[in-house]
């Protein structure tokens, strides 16, 4: 079995894995259907845990001077009182009776942040194949994988491509083609609707806020300061019982009075549906493995964490089968206890 490690998707999960593997001397091909800089529907808030993970993979903190800082407050639902009691070191009450997280939020538009990561990969001579879209993945005869897809050429016509790989690290986001091909579509209960609108800020400086407007619902809104603009959004988990979920475009109009970008996004799935490796040599990372926190909506840190873990399993295993099993079990060991803790909190909140 031969071929490089092919990483599909150059968001935070794929970029982290590719950097770690490349710096350890493994041949890596990183491809993305988009050209960078590209936007991504997101609250643009970077969880503090993300930074040490990126440094461990080999990134330099070139984003530091550009981080936009503001106070982060939460208000609304009692769920935060419970969170605050469970993790008092992270949450503090403010004079206004709201809860303050950490207490400073650091934000950077994803358009900028993801492009900074890709730039650093290029500076380390890792070629990023932009505009390469994966359409198919199949086992090859030598025990590895064959990936194929399309890319537009300068005339606008589409050309096909094919690559052999010893490993496939699928970091191709919420609508992961690899995941769909190997496991089918996401379970509806594992999905949420996300809506994002960019707006002019109100006069004067304002904190960034997470707002839980309905007492017995996990629906939340955010309003984050982002330079000259505010990033307004809504996150609404779906459930099987929730057959009549309104279309996301309607939600943008209903909550923000304007049109916005809407997305169906995966949530941290129940333990039995969390899959790290659907086949030997294929690892699912970040949103492709559904690692978004259902309560606070963050996933950039989980993406980087799974990218680092996947790269380490590739580097430190004696065989593809051993590395795939190691990744699957270590991912579950990391995320299942967190998921169970959140599930218990959510159940109490909704009861
Ligand atoms: C509404 C909303 C708000 C959020 N807010 C926050 C927040 O404030 N903070 C936070 O930490 N997290 C937030 N998240 C979660 C966060 O955006 C994701 O968890 C994170 O982007 C996951 O990173 P990733 O690398 O796995 O995937 P992505 O960042 O989605 O990257 C996937 C990459 O794969 C590429 N790709 C996709 N398909 C193919 C293909 N077939 N072939 C080749 N390339 C492909 C895409 O172009 C993309 O570049 C939010 C999510 C949503 C939906």
């Amino acid at each position: 079995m031969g071929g490089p490690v092919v990483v599909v998707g150059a968001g935070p999960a794929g970029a982290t894995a590719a950097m770690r593997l490349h710096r350890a001397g493994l041949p890596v091909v990183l491809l993305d259907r988009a050209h960078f800089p590209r936007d991504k529907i997101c609250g643009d808030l970077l969880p503090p845990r993300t930074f040490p993970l990126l440094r461990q993979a080999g990134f330099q903190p070139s984003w530091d001077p550009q981080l936009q800082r503001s106070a982060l407050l939460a208000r609304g639902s009692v769920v935060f009182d419970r969170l605050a009691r469970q993790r008092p070191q992270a949450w503090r009450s403010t004079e206004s009776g709201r809860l303050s997280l950490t207490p400073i939020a650091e934000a950077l538009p994803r358009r900028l942040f993801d492009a900074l990561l890709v730039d650093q990969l290029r500076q380390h001579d890792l070629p990023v194949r932009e505009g390469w879209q994966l359409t198919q993945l199949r086992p090859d005869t030598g025990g590895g994988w064959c990936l194929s897809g399309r890319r537009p050429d300068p005339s606008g016509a589409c050309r096909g491509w094919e690559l052999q790989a010893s490993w496939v690290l699928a970091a191709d986001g919420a609508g992961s083609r690899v995941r769909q091909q190997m496991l089918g579509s996401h379970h509806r209960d594992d999905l949420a609707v996300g809506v994002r609108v960019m707006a002019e800020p109100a006069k004067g400086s304002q904190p960034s806020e997470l707002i839980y407007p309905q007492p017995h619902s996990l629906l939340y809104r955010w309003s984050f300061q982002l330079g000259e603009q505010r990033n307004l959004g809504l996150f609404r988990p779906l459930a099987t019982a929730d057959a009549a979920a309104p279309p996301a475009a309607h939600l943008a109009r209903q909550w923000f009075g304007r049109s916005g970008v809407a997305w169906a996004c995966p949530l941290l799935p129940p333990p039995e549906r969390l899959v790290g490796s659907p086949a030997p040599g294929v690892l699912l990372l970040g949103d492709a493995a559904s690692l978004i926190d259902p309560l606070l909506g963050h996933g950039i840190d989980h993406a980087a964490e799974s990218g680092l873990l996947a790269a380490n399993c590739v580097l430190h295993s004696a065989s593809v089968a051993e590395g795939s099993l190691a990744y699957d079990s270590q991912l579950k060991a990391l995320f299942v206890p967190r998921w169970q803790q959140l599930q218990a909190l959510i159940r109490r909140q909704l009861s």
Side-chain angles (χ1 to χ4, degrees), residues 32 51 53 64 69 84 92 120-121 126 132 178 196 257 351:
D32 200 295
F51 305 116
L53 291 163
D64 267 1
R69 297 180 169 86
R92 287 169 216 151
Q120 283 202 33
L121 290 165
L126 193 153
W132 283 47
V178 175
R196 186 185 69 176
S351 62

Side-chain angles (χ1 to χ4, degrees), residues 49 268 302 305 333-343:
R49 289 182 59 246
L268 208 54
H302 295 169
E305 191 170 22
L334 275 175
F335 284 94
V336 169
R338 284 186 208 176
W339 183 89
Q340 283 166 336
Q341 195 196 11
L342 285 174
Q343 249 334 64

Side-chain angles (χ1 to χ4, degrees), residues 8-13 31-34 36 38 40-45 47 110 132-134 171-173 177 194 222 265 286-287 292 297-300 303:
V8 185
L31 58 95
D32 200 295
R33 69 179 173 196
F36 288 79
R38 61 102 179 88
K40 152 86 182 74
I41 178 170
C42 194
D44 297 320
L45 223 62
R110 289 294 297 276
W132 283 47
Q133 180 178 12
L134 172 82
D172 49 342
R177 178 80 190 138
W222 69 81
C265 35
D287 278 9
I292 295 188
H298 59 98
I300 299 172

Side-chain angles (χ1 to χ4, degrees), residues 10 16 23 27 49 56 94 123 145 147 152 155 180 183 252 271 276 300 325 335 345:
T16 308
R23 303 241 10 214
R49 289 182 59 246
Q56 272 181 58
T94 65
Q123 283 160 23
W145 292 91
L147 301 94
S155 72
Q180 260 174 35
L183 298 173
I300 299 172
L325 278 177
F335 284 94
L345 200 67

Side-chain angles (χ1 to χ4, degrees), residues 20 22 78 92 104 116 167 177 182-183 208-209 215 222 238 240 294 305 323:
R20 170 80 182 105
H22 178 68
V78 291
R92 287 169 216 151
I104 295 296
L116 282 170
W167 288 88
R177 178 80 190 138
M182 311 215 71
L183 298 173
S208 291
E209 284 191 300
W222 69 81
L238 297 175
T240 311
E305 191 170 22

